[in-house]
Amino acid sequence: MLFRSIASRGPQNYQLDASVGLSTAQAQGARMANLNVVEIKAFVPARDFALSKQFYQDAGFTMASDGHGVAYFHHGNASFLLQDFFDAGLASNLQMHLLVEDVQAWRDQLMTRDIAGRYGVKIGPLVDQPWRMRDFFLYDPSGVLWLIAQNTD
Protein backbone atom coordinates (compact mmCIF):
# COMPACT_ATOMS: atom_id res chain seq x y z
CA MET A 1 0.00 0.00 0.00
CA LEU A 2 1.41 3.38 -0.97
CA PHE A 3 0.87 6.66 0.83
CA ARG A 4 1.25 10.18 -0.50
CA SER A 5 2.06 13.16 1.70
CA ILE A 6 -0.48 15.92 1.91
CA ALA A 7 1.84 18.87 1.43
CA SER A 8 -0.60 21.46 2.72
CA ARG A 9 -0.88 19.70 6.11
CA GLY A 10 2.79 18.73 6.51
CA PRO A 11 4.76 15.54 5.91
CA GLN A 12 3.35 13.75 8.95
CA ASN A 13 -0.17 13.56 7.41
CA TYR A 14 -0.81 10.96 4.74
CA GLN A 15 -3.60 9.87 2.46
CA LEU A 16 -3.91 6.62 0.56
CA ASP A 17 -2.63 6.84 -3.01
CA ALA A 18 -5.62 5.91 -5.18
CA SER A 19 -3.29 4.90 -8.00
CA VAL A 20 -2.54 1.56 -6.32
CA GLY A 21 -6.06 0.36 -7.12
CA LEU A 22 -7.61 0.14 -3.64
CA SER A 23 -11.31 0.69 -3.27
CA THR A 24 -12.47 3.18 -0.64
CA ALA A 25 -13.54 0.29 1.64
CA GLN A 26 -10.17 -1.43 1.24
CA ALA A 27 -8.33 1.81 1.89
CA GLN A 28 -10.31 2.45 5.09
CA GLY A 29 -9.77 -1.15 6.22
CA ALA A 30 -6.06 -0.81 5.56
CA ARG A 31 -5.91 2.18 7.87
CA MET A 32 -7.58 0.13 10.62
CA ALA A 33 -5.20 -2.84 10.37
CA ASN A 34 -3.75 -4.00 13.67
CA LEU A 35 0.01 -3.97 13.27
CA ASN A 36 0.83 -4.24 16.98
CA VAL A 37 3.79 -6.50 17.67
CA VAL A 38 3.43 -9.07 20.43
CA GLU A 39 7.06 -10.18 20.63
CA ILE A 40 10.16 -11.06 18.65
CA LYS A 41 12.31 -14.07 19.44
CA ALA A 42 15.67 -15.22 18.10
CA PHE A 43 16.48 -18.84 17.32
CA VAL A 44 19.65 -19.65 19.28
CA PRO A 45 21.73 -22.59 18.01
CA ALA A 46 22.85 -25.42 20.29
CA ARG A 47 25.85 -27.68 19.68
CA ASP A 48 24.63 -30.03 22.43
CA PHE A 49 20.89 -29.47 22.82
CA ALA A 50 20.51 -31.25 26.18
CA LEU A 51 23.51 -29.45 27.69
CA SER A 52 22.31 -26.07 26.42
CA LYS A 53 18.82 -26.60 27.82
CA GLN A 54 20.28 -27.32 31.24
CA PHE A 55 22.68 -24.36 30.95
CA TYR A 56 19.87 -21.88 30.30
CA GLN A 57 17.75 -23.28 33.14
CA ASP A 58 20.70 -23.07 35.52
CA ALA A 59 21.37 -19.52 34.32
CA GLY A 60 17.87 -18.52 35.46
CA PHE A 61 15.60 -18.94 32.44
CA THR A 62 12.38 -20.96 32.50
CA MET A 63 11.93 -23.62 29.83
CA ALA A 64 8.23 -23.27 29.00
CA SER A 65 8.11 -25.89 26.25
CA ASP A 66 10.34 -28.40 24.50
CA GLY A 67 9.47 -30.33 21.39
CA HIS A 68 10.43 -31.04 17.79
CA GLY A 69 13.96 -29.72 18.31
CA VAL A 70 12.95 -26.33 19.73
CA ALA A 71 12.81 -25.27 23.37
CA TYR A 72 11.06 -22.05 24.37
CA PHE A 73 12.82 -20.14 27.16
CA HIS A 74 11.77 -16.99 28.96
CA HIS A 75 12.54 -14.83 31.93
CA GLY A 76 9.81 -12.30 32.59
CA ASN A 77 8.88 -10.74 29.24
CA ALA A 78 12.14 -11.70 27.49
CA SER A 79 12.24 -14.94 25.52
CA PHE A 80 14.14 -16.90 22.90
CA LEU A 81 13.96 -20.24 21.13
CA LEU A 82 16.80 -22.71 21.59
CA GLN A 83 17.11 -24.96 18.56
CA ASP A 84 18.63 -28.38 18.16
CA PHE A 85 20.73 -27.08 15.30
CA PHE A 86 24.32 -25.95 15.20
CA ASP A 87 26.37 -24.01 12.71
CA ALA A 88 29.72 -22.77 14.02
CA GLY A 89 29.61 -19.61 11.89
CA LEU A 90 26.15 -18.71 13.15
CA ALA A 91 26.94 -19.42 16.80
CA SER A 92 30.21 -17.47 16.77
CA ASN A 93 28.54 -14.43 15.19
CA LEU A 94 25.25 -14.39 17.10
CA GLN A 95 24.94 -11.87 19.92
CA MET A 96 22.02 -11.64 22.30
CA HIS A 97 21.40 -8.54 24.40
CA LEU A 98 19.45 -8.94 27.62
CA LEU A 99 18.44 -5.68 29.30
CA VAL A 100 17.80 -6.19 33.03
CA GLU A 101 16.99 -3.99 36.01
CA ASP A 102 19.93 -5.18 38.16
CA VAL A 103 22.96 -6.37 36.21
CA GLN A 104 24.97 -6.93 39.41
CA ALA A 105 22.33 -9.37 40.67
CA TRP A 106 22.42 -11.29 37.38
CA ARG A 107 26.20 -11.59 37.44
CA ASP A 108 26.19 -12.55 41.13
CA GLN A 109 23.63 -15.30 40.44
CA LEU A 110 25.74 -16.75 37.63
CA MET A 111 28.86 -16.67 39.81
CA THR A 112 27.06 -18.21 42.82
CA ARG A 113 25.76 -21.03 40.61
CA ASP A 114 29.29 -21.56 39.22
CA ILE A 115 27.99 -21.39 35.66
CA ALA A 116 31.49 -20.78 34.26
CA GLY A 117 33.00 -23.75 36.09
CA ARG A 118 30.14 -26.16 35.49
CA TYR A 119 29.79 -25.41 31.77
CA GLY A 120 33.29 -24.27 30.81
CA VAL A 121 32.05 -20.87 29.63
CA LYS A 122 33.38 -17.35 30.10
CA ILE A 123 31.75 -14.63 32.17
CA GLY A 124 33.23 -11.16 31.86
CA PRO A 125 33.60 -8.40 34.43
CA LEU A 126 31.05 -5.64 34.89
CA VAL A 127 31.92 -2.67 32.68
CA ASP A 128 30.47 0.84 32.69
CA GLN A 129 30.02 1.63 29.00
CA PRO A 130 30.16 5.14 27.49
CA TRP A 131 26.65 4.61 26.06
CA ARG A 132 25.18 4.77 29.60
CA MET A 133 24.94 1.06 30.25
CA ARG A 134 26.65 -1.26 32.67
CA ASP A 135 27.14 -4.74 31.29
CA PHE A 136 29.04 -8.01 31.28
CA PHE A 137 29.39 -10.76 28.73
CA LEU A 138 28.50 -14.42 28.98
CA TYR A 139 29.24 -17.10 26.40
CA ASP A 140 26.90 -20.09 26.27
CA PRO A 141 28.24 -23.65 25.72
CA SER A 142 27.81 -23.26 21.93
CA GLY A 143 29.76 -20.00 21.74
CA VAL A 144 26.79 -17.61 21.51
CA LEU A 145 27.68 -14.26 23.08
CA TRP A 146 25.23 -12.75 25.53
CA LEU A 147 25.58 -9.15 26.72
CA ILE A 148 23.62 -8.66 29.93
CA ALA A 149 23.15 -4.99 30.74
CA GLN A 150 21.25 -2.34 32.61
CA ASN A 151 20.76 1.32 31.83
CA THR A 152 22.70 3.62 34.13
CA ASP A 153 20.51 6.72 33.93
Side-chain angles (χ1 to χ4, degrees), residues 27 92 103:
S92 66
V103 72

Side-chain angles (χ1 to χ4, degrees), residues 49 53 63-72 82:
F49 193 50
K53 287 189 291 187
M63 184 169 62
S65 67
D66 179 14
H68 306 287
V70 177
Y72 173 62
L82 183 69

Side-chain angles (χ1 to χ4, degrees), residues 69-85:
V70 177
Y72 173 62
F73 282 90
H74 69 86
H75 191 286
N77 293 325
S79 60
F80 65 95
L81 299 166
L82 183 69
Q83 59 183 332
D84 189 9
F85 167 82

Side-chain angles (χ1 to χ4, degrees), residues 99-101 128-134 149-153:
L99 188 61
V100 300
E101 290 182 5
D128 290 318
Q129 302 292 359
W131 46 85
R132 298 186 318 251
M133 288 190 143
R134 186 169 200 215
Q150 81 176 62
N151 292 317
T152 56
D153 65 352

Side-chain angles (χ1 to χ4, degrees), residues 116-152:
R118 291 169 54 204
Y119 292 95
V121 299
K122 294 180 183 176
I123 300 174
L126 285 167
V127 177
D128 290 318
Q129 302 292 359
W131 46 85
R132 298 186 318 251
M133 288 190 143
R134 186 169 200 215
D135 67 15
F136 70 94
F137 69 82
L138 165 69
Y139 281 96
D140 83 354
S142 300
V144 174
L145 173 62
W146 284 76
L147 295 171
I148 302 174
Q150 81 176 62
N151 292 317
T152 56

